[in-house]
Amino acid sequence: MSIYSFTYRVLETALHFINTAIVTVKTKEIRKELAEAEFIPFVQPIFTHEQKLTGCEVLLRIKKEGNFYSPHRYIEVIEQSEMINNIMISLLHTVGCEFSQYKDHLPEGFYFSFNITASQLRNETVIAEIINLCLSFQEKAGIILEIVERDHLVLDDDMLHILDSLMSDGVMFAIDDFGTGTSSLKYLEHVGFSFIKLDKTLTVVSKDELIYKNVIKAIVALSNSLNIKLIAEGVENNTQLHLLEREGIDAMQGFFLDKPMNIDDFKCKFIIFSDI
Ligand code: C2E
Ligand code: CA
Ligand code: CA
């Protein structure tokens, strides 16, 4: 072994050690911060291009001292610890309980979309809870798992096998944050993803034009040829909505259409007092 490759190995090991130590310290701090917190599902509606409700994304909210917080400050550390599995199980369970009596009132083709990391797919309790929810909604609502990977998406053979098996149980998969520089592109061809979620950094508008219009056109063509549906994230105004519709995006999600809200508000607004 040359002196260079030896030095490289030593540095790599040291870096790994430092990273692990940082995660351990951060996890401890966050655990302390979250000791009294509750983990609550909020939901953000997703609409078809005809502006009909078609589904919702389940988004974790951290409830502390009566206030609800986005998990963005904590999520990386939470995802790297086993906390994420208990949180996911609790979100799945709550959504199941909250919507079970409204199954027949959901619009046709409705789906609940959950965020999940690839490594969580190895957790048997998480998988069991997902299948449980999927079975409990049967034809009344679909379950989508949005695979989020903060670095880059790696699906090994084991993982692909798990995905296949969940798909045969009726679970659908989406690639989340598509276009943020992950290596997810190669998985589109064979993995059987049903949805691509176009990251909000790709759907921005300036001077009444989509900044990434040509990239979006290419993604639309690609998704059409693979029979994958496209959901645009971060729709914040009417111009953006119409420009995205014109490009042939199937569904839209964003503050212009509606914000993430608690499940009671969602039920009142879209299920109980609505003729969807
Ligand atoms: P995400 O999966 O990309 O979720 C969409 C985020 O965009 C949400 O942020 C939502 O509030 C925000 N958003 C929705 N519409 C708009 C818009 O029009 N403009 C802008 N600028 N933002 C919009 P949120 O709720 O703060 O969640 C942040 C991230 O945390 C999520 O991003 C997701 O990656 C992660 N996350 C949330 N819940 C979970 C969860 O249950 N499990 C895991 N693993 N990650 C989660
Ligand atoms: Ca997501
Ligand atoms: Ca996203």
Side-chain angles (χ1 to χ4, degrees), residues 44 57-61 70-72 75 79 84 87-88 91 115-117 120 146 148 150 176-177 199-200 233-236 253-256 258 260:
Q44 184 177 27
E57 178 172 0
V58 179
L59 292 161
L60 169 66
R61 288 294 175 265
S70 151
H72 75 271
I75 199 72
E79 281 175 353
I84 191 65
I87 290 174
M88 172 106 198
L91 300 187
N115 292 283
I116 194 166
T117 64
Q120 283 189 272
E146 300 183 9
V148 286
R150 310 285 159 200
D176 201 4
D177 303 335
D199 190 66
K200 44 187 167 280
E233 298 184 322
V235 179
E236 292 184 351
Q253 178 181 355
F255 295 155
F256 178 68
D258 232 321

Side-chain angles (χ1 to χ4, degrees), residues 43 98-99 261-270 272:
V43 287
E98 290 283 347
F99 284 95
M261 59 190 84
N262 69 46
I263 290 181
D264 281 344
D265 287 347
F266 182 88
K267 286 197 289 204
C268 284
K269 196 161 182 182
F270 295 104
I272 303 170

Side-chain angles (χ1 to χ4, degrees), residues 42 136 138 183:
F42 266 36
S136 76
Q138 299 267 357
S183 59

Side-chain angles (χ1 to χ4, degrees), residues 129-194:
E129 197 70 40
I130 293 168
I131 294 174
N132 205 9
L133 187 66
C134 201
L135 292 178
S136 76
F137 280 107
Q138 299 267 357
E139 295 94 43
K140 308 287 184 188
I143 303 299
I144 302 178
L145 299 178
E146 300 183 9
I147 304 199
V148 286
E149 286 303 274
R150 310 285 159 200
D151 297 330
H152 59 281
L153 184 58
V154 180
L155 298 174
D156 58 24
D157 285 351
D158 254 14
M159 205 70 86
L160 293 175
H161 182 71
I162 297 170
L163 254 65
D164 270 350
S165 148
L166 279 165
M167 282 182 215
S168 65
D169 285 318
V171 178
M172 296 175 282
F173 284 89
I175 295 191
D176 201 4
D177 303 335
F178 191 77
T180 49
T182 65
S183 59
S184 47
L185 197 54
K186 67 177 178 206
Y187 295 117
L188 286 183
E189 183 111 28
H190 300 295
V191 175
F193 282 101
S194 302

